[in-house]
Structures are given as C-alpha cells and as structure tokens.
Amino acid sequence: VKILQFKNSGLGPALPSFCDEQAWLCGAWSGWQDKPLKFDLRDIDRERDLASYYFGGTEFPVILVGTKGKSSPFQHSKQLVKRIRREFGKTHRIVSLDAVKATRVYDLLGLYDRAAALVSIDTVHLHLSRASTVPVFALARDYPRMWHGTPHQERFAFHCRYGDYLKR
C-alpha cells in the first residue's frame, strides 16, 4: 500500500506540479500523463440511471460544469456559469456538477461520456475526466505557486490558470 500524502513527506515540490509529484510517489512518474485512467468496477446501469436523472429527455447536447472545490476554490465561479449559460443556454443543456450525487465518484464517468463538453475548475472532475473522452475545458489553480495546479495536458481542449481567467 502506498500512502500518497505529500504533506510532511519531507520531499518538497521537486517536480513541476502536484500531479507529477503524486505520480512519482506512486512509482509511476515516467509518462504518467500518457497512461490511461481506467476503472474496472464501472456499473453501466448506475451510470445510465444517473445520466437519465440529470440529463432528462433533453434533445440538446449537454455541457457539464464543475465549479466547486475545497482545496482549489475558484473565485469567479458564478461569473463563469453565468457566461456559459448566456453563450450556450439556447443550444445546449447546462448541467451543474456541483449538486450531483452519485453512488461512486467514478459513476460520474457516465455523465462525462454522454456530454458534449466538461468545464471544470481544479477539482475531482478535472482529474477523473482522464478516464473519459469528453472534451475538457480546464481551469487550473496557480497559487500559492503554479506547482499546486493541474498542469496543461494534451487531452484538454482548453487550459487556463485561475490568474489568467479574466483576461482570457
């Protein structure tokens, strides 16, 4: 069993990001971003039921939005959601992931796999989306240092640091 607790490990931020550091602690540093994330206990029925509950019978493509997080809060969350609704609300169904309740966190993959896009701050949705093919628009933490935020990854359709949000 590996304990991936970085705090008080004595290692310090030697690698470019927290994500890289965690991969190193797991012994999977080399090319971790290129390795797939897979869940072998996915329950297709639970995923279908979750999607049916939150997506309903919509004919519109769905944009998932995740704006709440404890470790990496985003101060412009309300503005972001308002903008997404204004720009895409007539052509897409906008579903906030902030209130979604799932039996298992990986059941959210059923929503991601059915969505047209995922917009997420630096939280579980951003990390879990590695196990899906959903286009991801990532907002990543940049304080107190860039090391704390999710680094840019090729799979992201868009990547923006919190500090750059307003100008981008």
Side-chain angles (χ1 to χ4, degrees):
V1 173
K2 294 256 186 193
I3 298 178
L4 302 180
Q5 179 65 42
F6 178 78
K7 186 177 180 181
N8 300 323
S9 70
L11 295 172
L15 295 170
S17 74
F18 174 80
C19 295
D20 294 326
E21 199 84 35
Q22 292 299 295
W24 181 79
L25 288 170
C26 287
W29 161 244
S30 179
W32 73 267
Q33 289 188 16
D34 299 326
K35 294 182 172 109
L37 178 60
K38 295 184 179 180
F39 290 85
D40 57 357
L41 297 177
R42 287 181 71 170
D43 185 313
I44 301 305
D45 293 331
R46 276 198 322 249
E47 290 181 13
R48 183 196 60 240
D49 292 347
L50 191 66
S52 177
Y53 182 80
Y54 286 101
F55 291 4
T58 186
E59 296 176 19
F60 293 115
V62 174
I63 297 175
L64 299 170
V65 183
T67 61
K68 289 195 177 166
K70 291 184 181 184
S71 64
S72 300
F74 181 58
Q75 68 178 356
H76 303 292
S77 290
K78 287 182 183 176
Q79 178 192 40
L80 173 65
V81 172
K82 196 182 272 188
R83 177 117 193 229
I84 292 170
R85 289 192 188 287
R86 185 178 69 236
E87 296 290 329
F88 299 100
K90 292 181 180 172
T91 58
H92 292 73
R93 179 163 185 181
I94 313 302
V95 175
S96 172
L97 291 167
D98 299 341
V100 170
K101 303 287 186 207
T103 303
R104 300 279 184 262
V105 70
Y106 51 82
D107 289 345
L108 294 170
L109 292 170
L111 298 181
Y112 302 166
D113 289 346
R114 290 167 173 83
L118 167 65
V119 178
S120 180
I121 67 165
D122 213 338
T123 189
V124 67
H125 304 297
L126 195 56
H127 305 297
L128 186 60
S129 69
R130 283 189 63 227
S132 176
T133 58
V134 66
V136 177
F137 295 79
L139 295 161
R141 183 178 180 175
D142 56 359
Y143 58 85
R145 294 184 306 240
M146 296 289 251
W147 178 86
H148 290 89
T150 299
H152 177 269
Q153 297 171 28
E154 290 296 321
R155 67 189 183 85
F156 293 149
F158 176 79
H159 181 269
C160 178
R161 295 289 181 171
Y162 287 3
D164 295 330
Y165 171 76
L166 291 177
K167 63 183 169 194
R168 291 186 73 190

